[in-house]
DNA sequence: CTGTTAGCGCTTTCAC
DNA sequence: GTGAAAGCGCTAACAG
């Protein structure tokens, strides 16, 4: 509407300013070979001088190739992963309006060899792959093979830093663990006058990088800021409700002086059940991860005190956008794609 | 790369399937008049049947009109507003690649008549306007005039719900206040055994809708969940450091039993100074808003215990995206544009 | 009411 | 090395 902005420049204008043709400007713009260094300079100057930005829509249209991305995610009933998938589902219109195809591939991410071979099978099939990865030599090799094959690879939720993946979309899990520790410590507060206050940790497996990092961060804070609280050995519930329940119920029975509980992964149903059955759910400060139908209910009931959360919708969209930017050779808006560590309590439930 | 996805359909394909021309499909697609109902049906069926999505890039290119947006924001030294502006600045490349122009207009948002006339001056000049607005009849009228004039209007940070603005980009301030209350209450914890625990509130002005809503939410939680804490009358510091400092210093001197402090708006420097000068900064739980260079430092020092934050980068981008979607008549991805209430403590500082 | 047509700004052959 | 020209899929003006 109204006062039209000064008509933006086009490749054409740059071409004439630099005294070359459209095609040459295009070559310079994309660092393609076959242009004399001197010409390159002239063109670059013209681009610079006008701070020219090519029109993305025109580029996308002309390029006109559809792209295929794959999301490799854990099979099984993990609510958080299901949320990511559901948010991806909500994006279908957005995706197809951009001629992007996203496929879901379920696999056993707890088993490194299964995951590795699932990944190997994708070499040469997709433009980009997002994977919730176990940090394991075989997996690392598979990721590197994908990259070798020309695909863009993004790790999601759990990173494999030593691989050649292009990007990690997820939170800093050490900081997340520290945050959980600070919350447990601060919320327990002077309750620990008793001075024998103990804190329990339930994790899926310490072999999972994200879980291990969270525990590391948690212990860091406990050791430095809440010395009056003693942390009990980690229970490994394999993210299963039944097993988590058994282990925690036993621990609670054994230690009547537990004042805090950190649930590192899934298996929340089991953890909550053990806590409630012990009748001590109002006394024990309970901090866990992610906002799901279940943790939402527990927060509202006051059984859970806080959830450390990574916005699954944001993660899904960020992964797609990053893959797209990588595939197109565009810059990544790191501030936008960074996943924050959210603290969610009853009153700021999303 | 590799295995090309099945070539997507185009308007042309739909046209031939429905036995009409390109133009007719385009008309139906955009609900333009001048098509026989029966034809509309046939075309819609073809679209539905193929779940056809027009290629956004092609549409954008063909439409080819540049758009102008204005951001009307407070003049003055408010750090949070400066952050929003700086994030807008970081988007320039993104914006110009889409042929969008964004202009900043500074005005005194605390003075309703000044704000109203600043807004009136924009009628007919922009396609979209984002405004940090005071909720006042004159402002409301100005917003309605803008809408009347065909512009899309988005309120930012502070809403004017009774106006005809198309969208609000910002947090639920009542929930933010509740969250602040819950944090103060929980972090004070059994310290209030003393039972005479008092809580101080410093706000900019209760006339600002966002401040008033936050206070409302804060008091709600205090009254229902932390009855043992008594809330002192609100101090109005006009978001100024000097004035906030004076008022709070006096209050602290008068009440030696203050255990909690909620800073609703800006003026943080003054609030922190009063608190530190009292020598009680470690005993008093201090919760404020927004992560700035200042609050970041205070959190790290342990003077401030938590900041309730709305991600300024996200707000800036969301405002632009919403204006763009409104201008183009595209749907708004509400999940993506929703601004969350972030709780930021030392360990999850972004 | 409906169809034809000329672009939008870039990418990509294919010639020179 | 460089340029000319044919589209990419949609929109909008103009004919019919």
């Amino acid at each position: 509407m109204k006062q039209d902005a000064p008509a933006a420049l086009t490749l054409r204008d740059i071409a004439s300013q630099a005294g070359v043709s459209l095609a040459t400007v295009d070559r310079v713009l994309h660092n393609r070979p076959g242009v004399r260094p001197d010409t390159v300079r002239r063109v670059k100057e013209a681009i610079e001088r006008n701070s020219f930005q090519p029109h993305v829509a025109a580029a996308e249209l002309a390029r006109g190739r559809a792209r295929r991305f794959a999301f490799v995610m854990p099979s099984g009933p993990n609510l958080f992963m299901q949320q990511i998938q559901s948010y991806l589902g909500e994006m279908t219109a957005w995706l197809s309006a951009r001629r992007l195809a996203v496929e879901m591939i379920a696999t056993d991410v707890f088993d490194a060899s299964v995951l590795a071979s699932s990944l190997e099978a994708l070499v040469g099939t997709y433009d980009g792959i997002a994977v919730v990865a176990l940090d394991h030599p075989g997996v690392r090799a598979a990721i590197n093979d994908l990259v070798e094959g020309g695909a863009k690879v993004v790790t999601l939720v759990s990173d494999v830093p030593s691989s050649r993946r292009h990007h990690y979309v997820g939170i800093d899990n050490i900081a997340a663990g520290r945050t959980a520790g600070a919350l447990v410590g601060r919320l327990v507060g002077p309750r620990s006058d008793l001075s024998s206050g103990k804190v329990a940790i339930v994790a899926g497996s310490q072999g999972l990088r994200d879980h291990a990092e969270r525990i590391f961060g948690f212990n860091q804070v406990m050791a430095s800021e809440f010395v009056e609280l003693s942390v009990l050995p980690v229970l490994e519930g394999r993210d299963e409700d039944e097993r988590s329940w058994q282990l925690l119920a036993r621990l609670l029975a054994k230690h009547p002086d537990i004042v805090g509980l950190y649930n590192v992964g899934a298996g929340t149903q089991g953890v909550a059940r053990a806590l409630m059955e012990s009748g001590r759910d109002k006394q024990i400060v309970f901090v866990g991860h992610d906002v799901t139908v279940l943790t939402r209910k527990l927060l509202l009931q006051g059984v859970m005190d806080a959830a450390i959360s990574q916005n699954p919708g944001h993660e899904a969209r960020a992964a797609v956008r990053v893959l797209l930017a990588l595939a197109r050779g565009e810059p990544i808006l790191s501030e936008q794609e960074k996943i924050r560590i959210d603290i969610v309590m009853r009153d700021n439930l999303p």
Side-chain angles (χ1 to χ4, degrees), chain A residues 25 44 60 100 190:
Chain A
V25 181
K44 284 208 162 145
E60 200 171 332
L100 300 174

Side-chain angles (χ1 to χ4, degrees), chain A residues 17-59:
Chain A
Q17 275 199 35
V20 295
S21 77
L22 269 187
T24 300
V25 181
D26 189 70
R27 288 184 186 106
V28 173
L29 213 49
H30 299 91
N31 306 307
R32 272 190 279 268
V35 186
R36 216 181 321 132
D38 180 57
T39 317
V40 173
R41 207 184 33 68
R42 279 207 337 276
V43 174
K44 284 208 162 145
E45 266 174 31
I47 292 176
E48 210 58 46
R49 178 159 12 103
N50 301 283
S51 51
F52 169 73
Q53 285 284 347
H55 194 312
V56 285

Side-chain angles (χ1 to χ4, degrees), chain A residues 242-313:
Chain A
E242 184 67 16
R243 193 179 159 87
S244 302
W245 167 70
Q246 283 180 351
L247 291 171
L248 182 58
R250 202 177 311 152
L251 195 78
L252 285 168
K254 191 164 156 202
H255 301 276
D257 53 353
I258 288 179
V259 293
L261 166 60
Y262 177 33
N263 184 32
V264 181
T268 311
Q269 180 87 73
V271 170
R273 186 176 148 212
L275 188 57
M276 290 165 82
E277 285 177 357
S278 77
R280 291 192 264 156
D281 53 293
K282 299 296 180 213
Q283 290 95 60
I284 294 178
V285 171
F286 173 23
V287 172
H289 278 265
D290 301 326
V291 176
T292 63
V293 280
L294 183 58
T295 56
R296 170 183 291 274
K297 202 179 69 191
L298 293 170
L299 284 167
L300 288 172
Q301 287 174 186
V303 173
M304 201 163 165
D305 294 281
I308 310 296
S309 144
Q310 40 189 332
N311 185 329

